[in-house]
Amino acid sequence: MKYLVANWKANKTTAEAIKWLQQSSKLPGLAKAKPRAGKAQSSKLKIILAAAFIHLSSLKEIIEKNKLNFCLAAQDVSLFPFGAYTGEVAAEMLKGLVDYVIVGHSERRRYFGETDELVAKKIKQALDFQIMPIVCVDEPYLESQIKTMEQWNNGTMEQFIFAYEPLRAIGTGKPDTPENANQLARQIKDAAKFNAPILYGGSVTNKNVKAFIDQEEIDGVLVGGASLEAKEFIKIIQAIQI
Ligand code: PGA
């Protein structure tokens, strides 16, 4: 199984998000109702849309109505449960709406001061409500983050997906080399002491996606900028060819 995650970040109005989904789902094979129509989205490829909170309900409705082969992810979750936390979205609110949540993205570390401990608390909230965390890590904080996660989650990290996202590669057009990403993926698996799926993220496009996906230790990709246009995203799906 390989993963393809589209991380839209803080982009798109709801109308634009819906249009993207309608355009992308025209690709043969993306509708579950016609599994033989094409092989773009086989059971070997899980496509996950990480959209802003406000888009999730509308997208879910379209996905269910048209039986589309997309899963949904939130881009963040509160570290708190229900309560007096103005502006927060608790994991319990997301239960049933998304299957995944991105946590610890470097943009949240950089712009919102998220620490290893805070990320670990968010992971715990997600797991308490059966939402699978996609935990972003990078070299400078790889070991410390994994250690903190272990402490907060009683050493069990079996339900995680990790995304190795080198800071220098995010949004720069300068991806890591597939070989180095492969090595880092192995390092993360070793540090976490189990075989979590590891995704690579950072300037992935339709031109380089295949080289990353084909690496032995890499189980998928997380795509930011190149996921924003439906046409471009379709090219990425087609380039993966599994
Ligand atoms: P990018 O973003 O593909 O635009 O580099 C990746 C990410 O931040 O998840």
Side-chain angles (χ1 to χ4, degrees):
M1 160 83 76
K2 297 281 184 180
Y3 296 85
L4 171 59
V5 184
N7 178 13
W8 288 347
K9 309 187 180 185
N11 288 294
K12 296 192 186 301
T13 62
T14 302
E16 287 167 348
I18 291 171
K19 192 166 167 210
W20 183 103
L21 188 58
Q22 285 163 343
Q23 286 176 335
S24 298
S25 55
K26 284 196 187 121
L27 185 66
L30 281 180
K32 273 183 193 152
K34 298 176 197 156
R36 289 185 194 171
K39 51 181 180 172
Q41 159 83 318
S42 63
S43 56
K44 292 183 197 157
L45 182 65
K46 194 173 272 291
I47 303 179
I48 302 169
L49 289 187
F53 290 128
I54 60 150
H55 303 328
L56 293 170
S57 293
S58 313
L59 294 174
K60 187 173 172 66
E61 207 179 306
I62 298 172
I63 289 169
E64 287 183 347
K65 193 168 154 209
N66 299 290
K67 298 188 168 56
L68 302 177
N69 263 319
F70 284 93
C71 298
L72 288 175
Q75 296 175 9
D76 189 25
V77 65
S78 179
L79 68 155
F80 298 112
F82 281 166
Y85 307 104
T86 303
E88 285 293 87
V89 175
E92 194 167 359
M93 298 173 190
L94 293 171
K95 190 180 173 184
L97 189 57
V98 299
D99 296 311
Y100 303 88
V101 60
I102 297 175
V103 280
H105 193 284
S106 59
E107 286 155 9
R108 298 217 52 90
R109 288 176 175 270
R110 190 181 324 156
Y111 302 122
F112 305 95
E114 290 195 4
T115 60
D116 291 340
E117 191 175 312
L118 201 143
V119 171
K121 287 181 185 173
K122 292 186 171 196
I123 291 168
K124 184 161 183 341
Q125 284 297 314
L127 293 175
D128 282 352
F129 293 96
Q130 295 82 49
I131 300 168
M132 186 178 279
I134 300 174
V135 184
C136 299
V137 290
D138 186 21
E139 281 159 296
Y141 49 84
L142 183 69
E143 302 273 338
S144 68
Q145 178 151 317
I146 288 179
K147 222 165 137 198
T148 315
M149 282 188 291
E150 272 176 339
Q151 282 163 5
W152 276 91
N153 296 289
N154 302 325
T156 55
M157 291 192 282
E158 261 106 68
Q159 299 137 300
F160 291 21
I161 293 176
F162 282 104
Y164 161 56
E165 296 220 307
L167 299 185
R168 63 184 181 280
I170 296 177
T172 59
K174 293 182 187 139
D176 200 350
T177 62
E179 295 72 24
N180 192 53
N182 191 51
Q183 245 179 41
L184 258 292
R186 184 65 258 166
Q187 201 180 312
I188 294 167
K189 286 179 189 181
D190 290 344
K193 299 184 201 74
F194 76 100
N195 258 347
I198 312 284
L199 317 185
Y200 166 77
S203 299
V204 173
T205 65
N206 69 74
K207 301 274 188 311
N208 60 27
V209 67
K210 183 81 176 136
F212 285 106
I213 285 274
D214 283 350
Q215 298 295 318
E216 199 180 332
E217 307 290 353
I218 295 179
D219 302 286
V221 286
L222 206 152
V223 188
S227 73
L228 290 175
E229 293 295 326
K231 264 193 207 156
E232 183 63 26
F233 191 68
I234 288 172
K235 283 189 201 159
I236 292 176
I237 298 174
Q238 286 168 332
I240 290 175
Q241 284 175 355
I242 55 169

